[in-house]
Amino acid sequence: MGKKIYNKRKNRTLSNRFEKMTQLLGTREGFIFLSVLIAVIFVIIVLIMFILSSVNRARGEKGRETQVANEGAAAGYTAAADEDIPVVETATAGTKAESTPDTTVLAKKEGAKDGYLNRCVFLGDSRTVAMVNYGFFNDDAALAQIGISHPSFASNKFINNAGKEYTLKSYLGSHQAPVIYILLGVNGINGLSEEKYKDTFLTLIDSVSRMAPNSNIVLVSIGPVDDNGIYKNSVQNAWIDKYNDFLLETAKEKQIFYLNIAEILKGSDGQVKPEYNGGDGLHYSGKGCEAIFRYIVEHPVPGISDDGEYVVKYIKPDPNKVKVTMDKDSGIDEDKLGELMGIMMGDTENQTSSDATTQDSTEAEEELRKKEEEEEKKKLEEEEKKKAEEEEKKKAEEEQKKAEEERKKAEEEQKKAEEEKKKAEEEQKKAEEERKKAEEEQKKAEEEQKKAEEEQKKAEEEKKKAEEEQKKAEEEEQKKAEEEQKKAEEEKKAEEEKNSEEGDGKNSEGEEKSSEGEGEGSENAG
């Protein structure tokens, strides 16, 4: 009961305070108080945001320093200080040389020394990344990224194992080395048209020449692959050979250099040598990387010094910082990325020491081989499964396509039958109209014939009538003629009778004379 009374009084007190505050806000003093309160709150919020930002920035910088320090510790040295990483020698105006037809393809030099690599930098893709991760190239001597293709190289941002970020322009601006190797071309070899492939490569070469005018450029041949590897649908040795010919001709035309690493990596069967195959048919093992390293040292650009010792400061790659290009020209399949990253990260038992020589043991090799065989077996099983699924899918699609074609064919035949039926109906209708027209013409002809017959009958009747009239006229004429003839005869008879009467007397005289004559005649005759 007491608690209810307390709450009731408390509510009343709050209500009174609220009413007083409302009255206060209605005055000028209340408006000023409210403005000041809002300003104080805003300042407090800004201060809190500034303090939090400073704390986060400090934490980030500390984290980055710790990460670089850990990388250095994993490699057996402290990488925090830039002076621990060997600096590439800078080119001078007299460093560059133009190649001749005899020197374009770099020849082997007897007694060549590793110190030559202190004057070289490397622009490349995952194969160059492997050279760094296996400890053959210094981290800062290579500008490379997994999956990068030459068309996108100039516009890409790169992060090396030490965490440094570069573009091609910023890298060459600070790495004007006497020799620049371009190890690109395998990625996108099947995704680009031949014209675009060549045009973009020429553009990249021109860009490097412009950014590093005192450097000698070396085009490195595209290394061979296993035509039956997991990337067989993306790259084949026949395509590589075609574009290596293009690179060689380009080197000759631009009077730069060409390094044919393919001659040591390719076996007699035209495929990458088994001992150099990294497991996927496209990338190279530690031994393959070592073979490339030795070949570069033994085939230097003429006139470049090889004095000194080439020391590799190994920096362990961080999977969280490794960049991968996954665009349509990269040639990388997303489902194979895990295997590729495994190869590119390098097996610690295959990584070399700082003197750039491999320290692989037989046991490690055997374990790696078994691991690769298991992975290959698993890969083959997955590929078989995927292939079976694709074949089933393809079969279903083909059957569906066939059914669709048959349906379409049936529709076309039905349409054709309907058109023929319609045509037959039209022809039948036309024939019916022609028959009807013929009947009408026949009827008309019969009517005309009947009319002609009637006219002929009428003409015959008229003719008969005319003949009857003519006959009647002829009969009348004949009757008249007969009457006239009869009258004439009667008149003649009457005249004869008359003449007869007059001639009786004459006849008597005549008879007498006649008798006399006859008598005379008789006498004469005797």
Side-chain angles (χ1 to χ4, degrees), residues 481-493:
E482 287 176 352
E483 287 177 353
E484 287 177 356
Q485 185 178 1
K486 187 177 179 182
K487 186 178 178 181
E489 285 177 354
E490 287 177 355
E491 287 178 356
K492 184 179 178 181
K493 188 176 179 182

Side-chain angles (χ1 to χ4, degrees), residues 67-329:
Q67 187 174 32
V68 173
N70 288 340
E71 289 171 356
Y77 82 107
T78 301
D82 288 342
E83 59 268 18
D84 285 346
I85 301 175
V87 178
V88 177
E89 187 177 307
T90 303
T92 61
T95 304
K96 188 172 182 179
E98 292 184 348
S99 69
T100 66
D102 295 331
T103 61
T104 299
V105 179
L106 294 175
K108 186 173 182 178
K109 177 184 176 182
E110 297 297 332
K113 301 175 184 177
D114 294 354
Y116 168 75
L117 292 180
N118 291 319
R119 288 103 194 162
C120 306
V121 294
F122 304 88
L123 312 180
D125 48 34
S126 56
R127 291 173 167 182
T128 305
V129 172
M131 295 293 291
V132 173
N133 289 352
Y134 279 120
F136 291 99
F137 295 160
N138 270 307
D139 181 45
D140 205 47
L143 187 70
Q145 183 173 306
I146 297 171
I148 193 72
S149 58
H150 64 272
S152 55
F153 199 89
S155 60
N156 192 62
K157 285 186 178 180
F158 301 83
I159 299 177
N160 64 14
N161 289 351
K164 289 185 178 180
E165 185 174 304
Y166 292 106
T167 62
L168 176 64
K169 184 177 181 180
S170 66
Y171 183 79
L172 293 181
S174 58
H175 293 70
Q176 295 280 323
V179 184
I180 298 174
Y181 286 86
I182 299 178
L183 302 93
L184 294 165
V186 71
N187 293 331
I189 202 168
N190 189 37
L192 297 169
S193 66
E194 185 173 347
E195 183 180 3
K196 186 176 180 181
Y197 184 100
K198 293 180 178 180
D199 288 345
T200 49
F201 218 122
L202 293 172
T203 301
L204 177 63
I205 295 169
D206 292 340
S207 297
V208 173
S209 297
R210 186 173 61 256
M211 295 175 188
N214 296 326
S215 300
N216 294 289
I217 297 175
V218 180
L219 300 181
V220 181
S221 66
I222 306 168
V225 297
D226 179 2
D227 285 336
N228 297 311
I230 62 175
Y231 288 94
K232 60 185 178 183
N233 295 326
S234 301
V235 60
Q236 292 279 306
N237 284 302
W239 310 340
I240 291 173
D241 292 342
K242 177 178 72 172
Y243 285 119
N244 277 339
D245 291 340
F246 157 71
L247 293 177
L248 176 57
E249 290 303 316
T250 300
K252 290 178 180 178
E253 290 173 6
K254 292 185 176 291
Q255 292 183 292
I256 55 180
F257 299 94
Y258 180 79
L259 183 68
N260 187 20
I261 63 170
E263 71 174 357
I264 55 153
L265 299 173
K266 186 182 289 189
S268 58
D269 58 354
Q271 310 294 308
V272 62
K273 293 178 180 178
E275 62 269 29
Y276 296 156
N277 190 339
D280 62 1
L282 176 64
H283 299 93
Y284 302 131
S285 63
K287 285 187 176 182
C289 291
E290 183 182 12
I292 295 171
F293 173 85
R294 297 298 341 153
Y295 192 87
I296 292 171
V297 170
E298 293 171 358
H299 295 74
V301 172
I304 304 300
S305 172
D306 61 359
D307 292 339
E309 183 183 1
Y310 185 62
V311 179
V312 176
K313 294 295 184 179
Y314 181 76
I315 298 178
K316 184 179 180 180
D318 184 352
N320 298 318
K321 292 193 297 185
V322 173
K323 288 188 68 178
V324 179
T325 300
M326 293 292 292
D327 60 26
K328 61 182 178 62
D329 296 331

Side-chain angles (χ1 to χ4, degrees), residues 17-87:
R17 288 179 181 176
F18 181 74
E19 287 177 5
K20 288 180 180 180
M21 189 178 291
T22 304
Q23 291 173 359
L24 182 64
L25 289 174
T27 64
R28 184 170 178 272
E29 291 79 8
F31 177 78
I32 293 171
F33 172 78
L34 184 62
S35 299
V36 171
L37 181 62
I38 292 171
V40 170
I41 293 171
F42 178 78
V43 170
I44 292 170
I45 291 171
V46 170
L47 287 171
I48 290 171
M49 291 177 66
F50 177 78
I51 291 168
L52 290 174
S53 177
S54 300
V55 171
N56 290 335
R57 187 162 55 251
R59 285 178 179 175
E61 290 174 356
K62 185 178 180 182
R64 281 195 296 275
E65 290 172 359
T66 302
Q67 187 174 32
V68 173
N70 288 340
E71 289 171 356
Y77 82 107
T78 301
D82 288 342
E83 59 268 18
D84 285 346
I85 301 175
V87 178

Side-chain angles (χ1 to χ4, degrees), residues 380-396:
L380 289 172
E381 289 175 354
E382 289 176 354
E383 286 181 358
E384 288 294 329
K385 185 179 178 182
K386 188 177 180 181
K387 187 177 179 182
E389 289 175 354
E390 288 176 353
E391 287 177 354
E392 286 293 329
K393 185 180 177 182
K394 188 177 179 181
K395 188 178 179 181

